[in-house]
């Protein structure tokens, strides 16, 4: 029997579908389908159990008689879909902007017919992106801001001095041993040794820190407290407990002075006086404000241009961007030691609520990307591979990474090239809209 070729044909698009949605049919049959069925049987044969046969030794005809030929169809389709997709993309010459969806239109012993739903870039019309008179706000740094930051700096370098005499006061650091008991029985997570507790930080449950005030070094005391009703552990929520506490040491915060010893501790080159320190703080605040002002300026510029854009943003692009934002949020939570499930408990929300919250940002991100790409095309903005390589090397050096490692994490040289093109486009828009 002659081998049948895998067939690809574009399905007639319905009138209801936007122009960027394409349905592509792919049929896998003949020798290709026979091979896929053979592979599917080999997979099933390893695990299927049939009385009278050892595992992995069931003949094909016995398997099909007991389970039917249909038992192989879905596995065979799974083994065929990747090849079918490559064939669909090659022959249709479509360039997808999101992961295509795939459905099985029909499947039997003669073959399988896939239907790929492919989303391509929609038509984008930017009616105006020039002369919008968008300007960045001017940045100022006041003396009050400098003094406020100086106060924070002095606080960060506050010294802790052991209190040889006296008792725990608000603001002190009490180094304590503690153990919690409910109905006379110690509970999990309620014990600590030599724990440094800043009184007034509200780190512990209400009433705990207040009762430590007035204790002396070496003193032991029973503290009666009640866990909040909304406490995470259900067996402790709203329950009255007793903490046995011993104060091992009391440390007092001692404010620093702007003296030679303080400047030595700072270890900042060229900073040796109040005047030079304030000037450095002023420059730091200014740089931060300028970065914030720049971000606001670019956002305002893009928002203004977006009002002049006509485009039907594909929902699949918004969904994928929402996935990315949720994934980024999950990573941020992990860095704080919080899982998404725990976040949902704390906020009394769920995944649907989180996605809904991020969908507007996702939509704007996609809209701005499509808009910038269209302007990029109209203005003929391009970045060469050589420019991208140079940028990759500079960024790798900046982050103290190997260039290959940096490119892998960034998404490859093409992503560096695209990022540079976007930045060039934004710089041009600034010039065109002053």
């Amino acid at each position: 029997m002659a081998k049948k070729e895998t067939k690809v044909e574009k399905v007639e698009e319905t009138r209801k579908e936007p122009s960027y949605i394409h349905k592509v049919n792919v049929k896998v049959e003949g020798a290709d389908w026979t091979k896929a069925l053979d592979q599917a049987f080999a997979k099933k044969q390893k695990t299927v159990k049939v009385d009278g046969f050892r595992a992995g030794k069931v003949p094909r005809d016995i398997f099909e008689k007991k389970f039917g030929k249909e038992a192989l169809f879905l596995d065979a389709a799974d083994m065929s879909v990747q090849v079918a997709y490559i064939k669909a993309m090659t022959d249709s010459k479509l360039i997808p902007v999101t992961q295509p969806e795939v459905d099985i239109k029909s499947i039997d012993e003669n073959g399988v017919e896939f239907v790929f739903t492919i989303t391509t870039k929609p038509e984008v019309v930017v009616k105006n992106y020039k002369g919008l008179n968008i300007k960045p706000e001017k940045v100022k740094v006041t003396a009050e801001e400098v003094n406020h930051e100086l106060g924070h700096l002095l606080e960060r370098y506050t010294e802790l001095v052991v209190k040889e005499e006296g008792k725990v006061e608000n603001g002190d650091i009490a180094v304590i041993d503690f153990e919690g008991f409910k109905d006379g029985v110690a509970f999990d997570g309620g014990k600590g040794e030599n724990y440094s507790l800043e009184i007034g930080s509200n780190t512990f449950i209400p009433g705990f820190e207040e009762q430590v005030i007035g204790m002396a070094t070496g003193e032991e005391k029973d503290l009666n407290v009640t866990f909040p009703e909304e406490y995470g552990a259900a067996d402790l929520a709203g329950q009255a407990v007793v903490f046995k506490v011993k104060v091992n040491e009391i440390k007092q915060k001692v404010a620093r002075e702007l003296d030679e010893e303080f400047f030595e501790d700072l270890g900042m080159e060229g900073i040796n006086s109040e005047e030079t320190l304030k000037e450095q703080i002023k420059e730091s605040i200014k740089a931060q404000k300028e970065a914030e002002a720049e971000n606001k300026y670019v956002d305002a510029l893009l928002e203004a241009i977006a009002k002049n854009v006509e485009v039907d943003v594909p929902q699949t692009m918004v969904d994928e961007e929402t996935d990315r934002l949720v994934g980024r949020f999950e990573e941020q939570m992990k860095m704080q030691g919080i899982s998404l499930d725990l976040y949902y408990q704390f906020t009394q929300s769920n995944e649907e609520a989180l996605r809904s919250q991020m969908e507007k940002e996702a939509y704007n991100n996609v809209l701005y990307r499509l808009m910038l790409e269209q302007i990029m095309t109209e203005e003929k903005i391009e970045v060469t591979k050589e420019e991208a390589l140079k940028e990759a090397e500079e960024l790798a050096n900046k982050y103290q990474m190997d260039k290959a490692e940096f490119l892998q994490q960034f998404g490859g040289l093409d992503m560096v090239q695209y990022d540079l093109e976007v930045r060039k486009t934004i710089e041009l828009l600034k010039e065109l809209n002053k």
Side-chain angles (χ1 to χ4, degrees), residues 47-248:
T47 57
V48 73
K49 294 180 180 180
V50 176
D51 292 341
F53 297 93
R54 287 180 293 148
K57 298 297 182 181
V58 180
R60 176 78 168 264
D61 60 335
I62 299 297
F63 173 89
E64 292 183 353
K65 184 176 180 181
K66 182 175 178 62
F67 299 102
K69 294 181 179 181
E70 297 84 0
L72 301 176
F73 291 170
L74 290 181
D75 280 340
D78 285 342
M79 293 169 180
S80 305
V81 69
Q82 187 60 32
V83 173
Y85 171 61
I86 293 171
K87 185 72 173 173
M89 298 309 303
T90 302
D91 288 12
S92 69
K93 295 182 173 56
L94 295 171
I95 301 175
V97 292
T98 61
Q99 189 67 30
E101 298 176 6
V102 60
D103 293 301
I104 295 176
K105 183 177 181 181
S106 63
I107 187 169
D108 56 32
E109 61 184 295
N110 297 315
V112 60
E113 183 174 5
F114 296 105
V115 180
F116 293 96
T117 302
I118 299 170
T119 303
T120 57
K121 184 185 290 189
E123 182 182 358
V124 183
V125 178
V126 186
K127 293 183 288 186
N128 183 33
Y129 56 88
K130 301 176 182 178
L132 298 176
N133 197 29
I134 306 293
K135 300 182 184 296
E137 63 182 51
K138 293 182 180 179
V139 168
K140 289 183 181 179
V141 180
T142 66
E144 288 78 14
E145 289 172 323
V146 173
N147 289 330
H148 181 74
E149 186 58 34
L150 177 59
H152 280 308
L153 185 62
L154 288 168
E155 189 176 343
R156 284 200 297 272
Y157 280 83
T158 295
E159 292 182 329
L160 294 177
V161 178
V162 176
K163 254 188 182 180
E164 300 295 346
E165 298 180 358
K167 299 181 179 182
V168 176
E169 298 177 27
N170 194 35
D172 286 346
I173 308 295
V175 182
I176 62 173
D177 295 338
F178 63 89
E179 186 169 14
F181 296 83
K182 176 188 171 187
D183 299 328
V185 179
F187 54 82
D188 291 340
K191 185 177 182 179
E193 294 181 353
N194 288 320
Y195 184 90
S196 293
L197 174 63
E198 182 178 350
I199 306 302
S201 65
N202 298 317
T203 305
F204 279 22
I205 62 175
F208 187 102
E209 295 172 25
E210 291 84 348
Q211 294 182 65
V212 176
I213 294 175
M215 293 180 68
T217 301
E219 184 179 347
E220 299 182 23
K221 184 177 178 182
D222 289 353
L223 310 185
N224 294 289
V225 294
T226 301
F227 277 95
E229 293 289 346
E230 65 277 9
Y231 191 69
D235 58 331
L236 293 175
Q239 299 297 306
V241 298
V242 176
F243 278 95
K244 293 185 178 297
V245 176
K246 179 184 178 182
V247 175
N248 298 321

Side-chain angles (χ1 to χ4, degrees), residues 17 49 58 118 202 344 376 384 424:
E17 293 284 16
K49 294 180 180 180
V58 180
I118 299 170
N202 298 317
Y344 294 145
M376 200 184 298
T384 65
K424 277 189 173 184

Side-chain angles (χ1 to χ4, degrees), residues 180-342:
F181 296 83
K182 176 188 171 187
D183 299 328
V185 179
F187 54 82
D188 291 340
K191 185 177 182 179
E193 294 181 353
N194 288 320
Y195 184 90
S196 293
L197 174 63
E198 182 178 350
I199 306 302
S201 65
N202 298 317
T203 305
F204 279 22
I205 62 175
F208 187 102
E209 295 172 25
E210 291 84 348
Q211 294 182 65
V212 176
I213 294 175
M215 293 180 68
T217 301
E219 184 179 347
E220 299 182 23
K221 184 177 178 182
D222 289 353
L223 310 185
N224 294 289
V225 294
T226 301
F227 277 95
E229 293 289 346
E230 65 277 9
Y231 191 69
D235 58 331
L236 293 175
Q239 299 297 306
V241 298
V242 176
F243 278 95
K244 293 185 178 297
V245 176
K246 179 184 178 182
V247 175
N248 298 321
E249 193 175 53
I250 305 171
K251 296 179 181 179
Q252 186 177 26
K253 291 182 178 180
V254 177
R256 297 296 298 273
E257 299 292 333
L258 292 172
D259 52 21
E260 185 177 345
E261 183 181 357
F262 176 72
F263 294 120
E264 287 179 1
D265 288 346
L266 276 180
M268 298 169 66
E269 188 176 350
I271 307 301
N272 52 22
S273 66
E274 180 177 351
E275 181 181 354
T276 55
L277 178 57
K278 282 188 172 182
E279 184 60 32
Q280 195 279 334
I281 291 173
K282 181 179 179 180
E283 290 302 314
S284 178
I285 295 173
K286 183 181 178 184
Q288 182 179 345
K289 281 191 166 188
E290 285 176 342
E292 291 172 354
E294 173 70 7
N295 289 336
K296 288 181 181 178
Y297 170 45
V298 172
D299 285 345
L301 182 58
L302 296 178
E303 185 178 350
I305 296 171
K307 292 176 181 177
N308 298 299
V309 173
E310 291 180 356
V311 60
D312 181 9
V313 177
Q315 186 59 42
T316 52
M317 293 185 74
V318 178
D319 291 341
E320 281 199 359
E321 179 64 10
T322 304
D323 290 341
R324 189 188 71 81
L325 294 178
V326 170
R328 185 181 70 181
F329 180 77
E330 183 176 12
E331 289 302 314
Q332 292 170 345
M333 290 294 99
K334 282 181 181 177
M335 291 175 66
Q336 299 176 39
I338 301 173
S339 67
L340 272 186
D341 286 340
L342 194 57

